Amino acid sequence: QAARVRCVTNPTYQQLEQRIAELERELEDKRNATEDLARVRYYLDCVTSGMFESLVVINRDFTIKDANERFLQDYGPTLGRAVGATCHPLTHGLDTPCSGSGHLCPAAEVFATGESARAEHVHTGPQGEQIFVEIYAFPLFDQDGVVQEVVEVSHNITDRRRLDEERTEREKLEAILELAGAVCHEPNQPLQALLCSQHLGKNLPPDDPFLNERLSLFSNINRISEITRKLQTISHYKTKAYAMGQRIIDFDRASKVP
């Protein structure tokens, strides 16, 4: 009777074959799913590696989950070194996440608000060079609607910033040249008359009671003439510190006059 019970409870050969076939199908499905994931991963790698912008996926603890080739080129590490490392030492050389009104962290803002964010930062390249970037950060939600990761796409705007700075410097210089031309034109004739009268000071007797005052006057006239000459030869926008925290034009550095 005991042997009869074992016979009934043991699977039949047909049942074993059926179970093996089911396992083989499950294994094939998993193999297909793995291959599909590999193809998707390869496709995404091709897309992101061809991007001009750097792309990085950041976890809630600000560690890097993934990065494209451009990010690795801009900031130096290999993918193996970047994944798991925090982002701020790589991009800013800092031990803590970005903060402050002038350098808000877009990833932190996305984690806090659940909404996309934009910011302009100055990053540090592998050789210590400055990289001006425009950052767009986007949330990645989990199934419960909580921001799990943030995708940051950074566009290098260094060349654009330099062009903007050059244009600003050029506009400032043009304004200074216009002002200098007007300033030089009006007092130029009376100044020339004063310069021509300097020979009168050479014939003053040594005991003239106003000798020192006149010599000081002629010295200041020459100084004004020198400043006017420098105004006429300004070629660069250069400033120097002045009172009350203000800055004024540095004629010596701005002009071509040695």
Side-chain angles (χ1 to χ4, degrees):
Q1 186 177 359
R4 189 167 57 250
V5 170
R6 281 197 299 272
C7 248
V8 171
T9 57
N10 286 338
T12 64
Y13 181 78
Q14 184 178 4
Q15 289 174 327
L16 287 173
E17 281 190 328
Q18 182 178 356
R19 182 55 182 158
I20 290 172
E22 290 175 355
L23 291 173
E24 287 178 344
R25 283 195 297 271
E26 290 178 6
L27 182 62
E28 183 65 22
D29 290 342
K30 290 181 179 179
R31 186 182 298 112
N32 291 335
T34 301
E35 291 175 354
D36 289 341
L37 287 174
R39 282 192 291 269
V40 170
R41 174 70 187 186
Y42 176 76
Y43 174 77
L44 291 175
D45 285 344
C46 289
V47 171
T48 58
S49 64
M51 294 172 60
F52 179 77
E53 295 81 3
S54 68
L55 182 147
V56 62
V57 181
I58 301 173
N59 296 312
R60 293 194 68 89
D61 59 357
F62 298 101
T63 57
I64 294 173
K65 182 175 182 179
D66 203 356
N68 72 344
E69 187 64 28
R70 183 68 188 192
F71 179 88
L72 303 178
Q73 291 174 3
D74 285 345
Y75 303 106
T78 60
L79 184 60
R81 286 181 54 204
V83 172
T86 48
C87 54
H88 35 274
L90 294 177
T91 57
H92 293 81
L94 299 176
D95 296 329
T96 56
C98 310
S99 61
S101 58
H103 228 58
L104 291 175
C105 175
E109 185 175 349
V110 173
F111 281 128
T113 65
E115 298 180 355
S116 301
R118 175 194 171 278
E120 288 190 11
H121 277 199
V122 182
H123 285 177
T124 303
Q127 306 303 321
E129 71 277 17
Q130 284 189 331
I131 304 175
F132 294 90
V133 293
E134 185 177 33
I135 305 172
Y136 292 90
F138 309 94
L140 291 179
F141 298 97
D142 62 14
Q143 59 186 5
D144 297 322
V146 178
V147 180
Q148 194 70 20
E149 298 153 354
V150 169
V151 177
E152 280 192 355
V153 179
S154 301
H155 180 59
N156 190 326
I157 59 171
T158 304
D159 291 340
R160 190 179 78 190
R161 283 289 297 268
R162 287 174 179 165
L163 288 174
D164 289 343
E165 290 174 359
E166 290 175 1
R167 184 178 66 252
T168 301
E169 292 295 310
R170 188 166 56 250
E171 291 173 351
K172 290 179 179 178
L173 179 59
E174 289 173 355
I176 291 171
L177 291 176
E178 291 177 0
L179 178 60
V183 170
C184 292
H185 175 73
E186 295 301 328
N188 194 49
Q189 289 184 344
L191 181 60
Q192 290 300 319
L194 289 171
L195 289 171
C196 292
S197 66
Q198 287 190 86
H199 71 280
L200 298 175
K202 297 178 181 179
N203 300 322
L204 292 174
D207 58 349
D208 188 296
F210 300 105
L211 177 61
N212 291 334
E213 287 80 0
R214 292 182 182 183
L215 291 177
S216 176
L217 174 62
F218 294 140
S219 174
N220 285 315
I221 290 172
N222 285 324
R223 185 180 176 188
I224 294 173
S225 175
E226 181 65 19
I227 293 174
T228 302
R229 190 163 69 97
K230 288 181 178 180
L231 277 170
Q232 292 173 326
T233 59
I234 287 177
S235 60
H236 299 84
Y237 179 77
K238 300 292 182 181
T239 63
K240 62 182 179 181
Y242 191 59
M244 305 294 291
Q246 296 181 342
R247 300 193 67 82
I248 60 174
I249 300 297
D250 187 338
F251 293 132
D252 292 329
R253 296 169 58 215
S255 68
K256 295 179 181 178
V257 177

